[in-house]
Amino acid sequence: REGVAPDRVTVSTVLNVPASGTVTASLHPFTVKLGLLRSSVVVCNTLLDAYCKHGLLAAGMRVFQEMPHRDSVTYNAMMMGCSKEGLHREALGLFTDMRRAGLDASQFTFSSMLTVATGMGDLHLGRQVHGLVARATSVHNVFVKNSLLDFYSKCDCLAEMEKLFDEMPERDNVSYNVMISGYAWNRCASRALRLFREMQILCFDRQALPYASLLSVAGSLPHIGIGKQIHAQLVLLGLSSEDLAGNALIDMYSKCGMLDAAKTNFLNKNDKTGVSWTAMITGYVQNGQLEEALRLFCDMRRAGLSPDRATFSSIIKASSSLAMIGLGRQLHSYTIRSGHISSVFSGSALLDMYAKCGCLDEALQTFDEMPERNSISWNAVISAYAHYGQAKNAIKVFEGMLHYGFKPDSVTFLSVLSACSHNGLAEECMKYFELMEDEYGISPWKGHYACVIDTLGRVGRFDKVQKMLSVMPFEDDPIIWSSILHSCRIHGNQDLARVAAEKLFSMGSTDATPYVILSNIYAKAGKWEDAARVKKIMRNRGLRKESGYSWVEVKQKIYSFSSNDQTNPMISEMKEELERLYKEMDKQGYKPDTSCALHQVDDDLKLESLKYHSERLAIAFALINTPLGRPIRVMKNLSACLDCHAAIKMMSKIVNRDIIVRDSSRFHHFKDGVCSCGDYW
C-alpha cells in the first residue's frame, strides 16, 4: 500500500508462512507480475514447496515445468511432494533427472528416495540409496541414518536395521522411536521393551518416549498387562488425553478385546480427530461388531469429519464381512467423490470387498483400474481366485506379481497354497510350498502346513499326510487335525477319522464340529450306534452343533434364514416357489441325495428335511423379491451339503440366473446348471 515493491526475500518469506493452499495460489500471479518467477530460483522453489506441502501437486508440477533454472532444492521439493502423495515412480524419475543434471544430492534427497523405496517395497532400490549415502561424505548425519532405519524397519529387514543402529555414532529420540516401532510391527516385544528401558536410563525426555509404539506392541501380542502399565505412565504424565497416545490406547484396548475400555478412552477425548474415529471404527470391525462400526461411521460423518483412506479401508471391510454389496458400492462411489480412490489402501479394500461379496468380475476390474498396486493388492486378487476355486488363475496372478517385481510374502503363499487345496492340485501345492522356503527363505506357518495337508488329504494321499505330520516343526494343532478330519469325511476313512477326532477331543476344544463330522461319517456308513455314541459324548460335554443359517441382501437389507424357517412372513410364497422348482427339477431328472439327511428316519422324512435347507429358502426369497435376470448372492455360515449343491445347479439353469453361494470355505458360482468349483470342494 505504501508503494514499496516487494523483492524476492519478501515474497519467499510470505510464501513460507503456514497458510492454506488458496493463499498460496493467490500469491502465484503476484510473483508472476513482479517477474520473480523468471529471475529468482529461490522464489520458484518456495512457491513450488508451498504447493506441494498443501497437496496441490499438479500446481507444483506446473511451476516446476515452467522454471527456466532448477537446482537441487527444486528437485528435492518436487520429489518430497510426489513421495508424500504416493507417486513413487514419478519421484524416482525426478531423482534420475537430478542425477543426470549433475546436481548434488542432499539429506532431503536421500530421505525422499528412501520414502519411495519403502512405498514401493523395493529393497534393492533402498540398498542402492544406502550405498549412495555411504559414498556421500557430506550427509553422514543422524537425520539420514534415521531415514535408513525407517526404511529397513518398514521392509522387515530387522537384521540390517539392528546392524545400522549399532553402528550409528550418534542416536537421538527419533532413532529409538524408529527401532521400537520396527520391533512393534514385527511383534518383537522383548526387544522393544529393552530399548524403551534403555531410553529411560539415558534420560530422554519422558514426554517424548514412544508410548504409542509400546501400546502397539501390547495390542499386537495381545498383552493387556503391558498395555495397562503404559496407560498408567501416560496418566501420571498427563498424556493420556493427547491425540497420539489417546488414539493408541483406543487401538490397544480394541486389539485386546476390551471394547468397553476402548470406547471409554474414545469418549473421554476432548478433541476427537479423524484418526480417533477411525481407531474406534476399526476396533469394532476387528471384534466383529460390524453394525456398531457402520453406526459410528455415520456418526463421524454427522460430526463433520471427513473419512481418510484408513477409515474407508475399515468400513469397507465391515461391508464385505456382512456381504452387503449395496453398501459396498455406495462406499465405492463415496471413495471416488472423496478423492481417495487412487489410494492403494482404498483400492485394495474395495477389491477385497467385491471378492467377498461374490462379485469377482468387479473385483478384477477394480484391480485393473488401480493406478498403483502393492503386495496387498496382488494378495487380494490371488485370495479371491483361491476362494472361487480358480487355482490356475491364482497361480497366473502369482507369476504376474513376480514378473512386476513384487516380492511374495507369507500371506501370498498362503493364498496360492489355499487355491491349490481347493482344486486338489497336490503337485502344485508341494511345488509352491518348497519354493516358499528354498527360494524366498520364508519359514512356513501352521497355516501353510494345514493347506498342504488338506490338499494331500483331499486327494486321498494319507501316506504323505502322515509324512508331513512327522516333519512339521509344530505341536499338534486343531487346524491341522480338523483338516485331516474333513479329508476323512470326503473319502470315508473311518479309522483315521477316529484318530483325528480323538486328537481334537483331547485338546479340550469347545468346538462341536469334530463330533458332528465323526458322527456324520458313521451315519453315512450306516453305523447308527457309533453315530449316536459320539453325539451323546458331545451332549455330555455341554457342546452344541452350530445351527446352519443363510442370509441374502435385498434392497440393501439383510434377510436371514435357518433350515425349515417358519418365521418369515413370506414363508408360504417361498415354499410355493420351491415346490414349483422341484417339479421342474424332477422333470429334468433331479434325484435327491438322501444320504445328506443324516438321521435314522424313513426316506419320506429325509426328503422333507432336505427341501427347506436355509440356502434354498434364501434363494426362493431372492427369486420372489428381485428383478428377473439379476444375480442372486447367498451367504452361508456352514459348508453346503451335496444335495443342495446339486439342487442349486439345476435351479440356476431353470430360472436362468447366476446364483453365487458363499459357504464357510469358498464361493460356488452356479450358472446354466454348472458350478465354478467343478463339483470339487
Side-chain angles (χ1 to χ4, degrees):
R1 280 193 293 266
E2 293 195 8
V4 179
D7 61 11
R8 64 182 186 181
V9 178
T10 318
V11 175
S12 297
T13 304
V14 174
L15 283 169
N16 271 316
V17 174
S20 67
T22 306
V23 173
T24 302
S26 68
L27 288 170
H28 189 163
F30 189 68
T31 57
V32 174
K33 185 178 179 181
L34 290 171
L36 293 174
L37 285 187
R38 288 284 172 188
S39 61
S40 173
V41 175
V42 174
V43 172
C44 288
N45 288 342
T46 312
L47 180 63
L48 169 60
D49 185 58
Y51 273 133
C52 290
K53 283 178 179 175
H54 290 112
L56 302 170
L57 204 60
M61 184 58 78
R62 283 198 298 273
V63 174
F64 177 82
Q65 290 171 344
E66 292 171 2
M67 287 176 66
H69 304 288
R70 300 167 188 156
D71 58 14
S72 59
V73 177
T74 315
Y75 281 96
N76 286 337
M78 202 66 236
M79 279 189 285
M80 289 176 74
C82 287
S83 62
K84 180 182 174 184
E85 294 298 317
L87 300 173
H88 304 308
R89 298 195 183 280
E90 288 80 353
L92 188 57
L94 287 165
F95 177 68
T96 303
D97 292 343
M98 178 182 177
R99 298 282 291 171
R100 285 184 187 138
L103 298 170
D104 291 332
S106 69
Q107 59 184 16
F108 303 108
T109 315
F110 293 127
S111 177
S112 294
M113 281 301 96
L114 289 167
T115 302
V116 168
T118 303
M120 296 174 69
D122 193 332
L123 192 57
H124 179 66
L125 173 61
R127 285 172 174 154
Q128 283 185 315
V129 175
H130 192 169
L132 291 173
V133 170
R135 290 195 294 272
T137 54
S138 60
V139 291
H140 281 263
N141 56 36
V142 72
F143 174 79
V144 177
K145 293 295 176 66
N146 287 342
S147 295
L148 282 165
L149 280 178
D150 186 60
F151 161 72
Y152 284 125
S153 163
K154 289 175 179 173
C155 287
D156 298 332
C157 298
L158 293 189
E160 288 169 278
M161 178 184 78
E162 289 173 333
K163 184 175 184 294
L164 178 64
F165 181 77
D166 291 340
E167 293 174 351
M168 285 174 66
E170 180 189 356
R171 301 167 187 161
D172 61 9
N173 181 57
V174 176
S175 314
Y176 278 90
N177 272 273
V178 171
M179 288 294 293
I180 291 172
S181 295
Y183 285 140
W185 178 258
N186 288 277
R187 300 185 182 184
C188 300
S190 59
R191 299 184 203 179
L193 289 168
R194 176 178 57 78
L195 279 186
F196 181 74
R197 293 191 188 100
E198 189 176 313
M199 289 187 78
Q200 292 175 310
I201 294 168
L202 292 171
C203 298
F204 280 99
D205 182 3
R206 290 189 69 193
Q207 297 208 354
L209 294 179
Y211 296 105
S213 295
L214 264 293
L215 287 169
S216 178
V217 169
S220 63
L221 286 174
H223 195 302
I224 191 61
I226 294 174
K228 286 184 174 179
Q229 286 181 43
I230 301 298
H231 191 175
Q233 290 193 38
L234 288 168
V235 171
L236 288 172
L237 292 168
L239 298 174
S240 60
S241 60
E242 292 288 325
D243 191 48
L244 183 62
N247 295 337
L249 282 167
I250 296 168
D251 179 66
M252 183 274 295
Y253 280 119
S254 296
K255 286 177 178 173
C256 289
M258 298 180 66
L259 274 180
D260 288 341
K263 190 174 181 180
T264 299
N265 279 276
F266 174 73
L267 294 174
N268 287 342
K269 282 179 66 67
N270 296 323
D271 183 23
K272 297 181 184 70
T273 62
V275 177
S276 314
W277 286 87
T278 300
M280 195 67 237
I281 289 168
T282 303
Y284 279 127
V285 173
Q286 288 168 343
N287 286 274
Q289 297 194 21
L290 308 174
E291 291 84 357
E292 279 296 308
L294 294 171
R295 181 192 60 76
L296 198 63
F297 177 72
C298 294
D299 290 346
M300 178 183 181
R301 296 292 302 125
R302 280 192 286 270
L305 284 136
S306 298
D308 61 13
R309 64 188 188 183
T311 321
F312 280 117
S313 294
S314 289
I315 205 64
I316 290 167
K317 283 178 186 175
S319 68
S320 66
S321 297
L322 288 167
M324 295 183 69
I325 186 60
L327 174 63
R329 285 178 176 140
Q330 283 187 356
L331 289 169
H332 191 168
S333 299
Y334 191 55
T335 308
I336 294 170
R337 294 198 302 275
S338 303
H340 291 290
I341 193 62
S342 60
S343 161
V344 69
F345 301 100
S346 298
S348 297
L350 284 167
L351 194 167
D352 185 61
M353 180 274 296
Y354 280 123
K356 287 179 178 174
C357 287
C359 303
L360 183 59
D361 289 343
E362 286 172 272
L364 297 176
Q365 183 180 343
T366 302
F367 179 74
D368 290 339
E369 292 175 353
M370 288 177 69
E372 185 181 352
R373 300 163 184 163
N374 61 9
S375 58
I376 296 171
S377 321
W378 288 93
N379 286 348
V381 177
I382 295 169
S383 179
Y385 275 129
H387 282 103
Y388 277 82
Q390 298 186 23
K392 290 183 179 178
N393 282 332
I395 292 170
K396 186 177 179 181
V397 173
F398 173 76
E399 298 295 341
M401 179 182 183
L402 299 182
H403 174 74
Y404 284 104
F406 289 90
K407 182 182 177 183
D409 56 17
S410 299
V411 177
T412 315
F413 280 104
L414 191 61
S415 295
V416 173
L417 295 177
S418 176
C420 294
S421 173
H422 283 315
N423 283 87
L425 303 179
E427 287 186 15
E428 288 84 349
C429 191
M430 289 302 301
K431 169 188 169 183
Y432 289 108
F433 181 78
E434 292 166 1
L435 181 73
M436 173 176 65
E437 199 163 14
D438 297 343
E439 185 74 19
Y440 293 96
I442 299 172
S443 298
W445 298 342
K446 285 182 182 178
H448 297 110
Y449 278 99
C451 281
V452 175
I453 289 171
D454 183 58
T455 310
L456 295 171
R458 280 173 175 269
V459 297
R461 296 302 307 272
F462 293 109
D463 55 332
K464 289 195 173 182
V465 167
Q466 295 284 3
K467 185 177 179 181
M468 287 297 293
L469 286 171
S470 66
V471 300
M472 183 176 68
F474 301 108
E475 294 182 4
D476 288 350
D477 182 86
I479 297 173
I480 302 292
W481 285 108
S482 293
S483 170
I484 293 170
L485 188 57
H486 279 282
S487 297
C488 292
R489 175 183 59 82
I490 294 169
H491 294 280
N493 189 331
Q494 296 175 42
D495 293 336
L496 185 56
R498 191 182 302 110
V499 172
E502 290 296 336
K503 285 278 188 182
L504 290 165
F505 299 162
S506 66
M507 292 175 188
S509 172
T510 57
D511 183 10
T513 304
Y515 298 88
V516 174
I517 293 174
L518 184 60
S519 174
N520 289 350
I521 289 171
Y522 285 139
K524 195 169 183 179
K527 295 184 176 181
W528 299 106
E529 289 183 6
D530 288 335
R533 178 179 54 80
V534 173
K535 284 189 175 180
K536 184 179 179 181
I537 296 171
M538 184 177 81
R539 285 194 299 272
N540 291 342
R541 294 182 179 179
L543 304 176
R544 295 182 63 186
K545 176 186 175 183
E546 184 180 2
S547 300
Y549 64 92
S550 299
W551 66 98
V552 64
E553 181 185 356
V554 175
K555 297 177 182 176
Q556 295 185 26
K557 187 176 178 182
I558 298 292
Y559 296 88
S560 297
F561 306 90
S562 58
S563 291
N564 204 23
D565 197 334
Q566 300 295 320
T567 60
N568 192 284
M570 297 184 68
I571 189 63
S572 297
E573 294 97 314
M574 290 155 58
K575 286 189 172 182
E576 285 178 14
E577 180 69 15
L578 285 174
E579 289 301 330
R580 183 185 69 80
L581 286 170
Y582 291 147
K583 286 178 182 177
E584 188 61 35
M585 288 160 63
D586 187 57
K587 291 177 185 176
Q588 297 190 22
Y590 164 68
K591 298 295 180 186
D593 184 355
T594 54
S595 67
C596 295
L598 300 169
H599 304 283
Q600 197 173 7
V601 295
D602 62 49
D603 285 347
D604 288 341
L605 288 175
K606 285 184 177 181
L607 288 171
E608 192 65 22
S609 70
L610 290 172
K611 288 170 70 174
Y612 304 118
H613 276 191
S614 63
E615 57 266 55
R616 303 192 197 197
L617 291 174
I619 290 168
F621 183 82
L623 286 169
I624 296 167
N625 291 285
T626 57
L628 292 172
R630 178 172 292 179
I632 294 171
R633 293 180 173 85
V634 174
M635 309 296 153
K636 182 176 171 67
N637 68 324
L638 302 177
S639 183
C641 73
L642 287 168
D643 188 62
C644 281
H645 192 270
I648 298 170
K649 282 201 297 184
M650 296 200 75
M651 288 178 186
S652 69
K653 185 176 181 181
I654 292 167
V655 300
N656 194 27
R657 291 216 213 180
D658 286 16
I659 302 176
I660 300 102
V661 178
R662 186 182 84 185
D663 67 9
S664 58
S665 60
R666 68 185 299 170
F667 277 96
H668 299 269
H669 191 145
F670 301 93
K671 183 176 183 179
D672 297 328
V674 178
C675 180
S676 58
C677 76
D679 298 337
Y680 184 93
W681 85 97

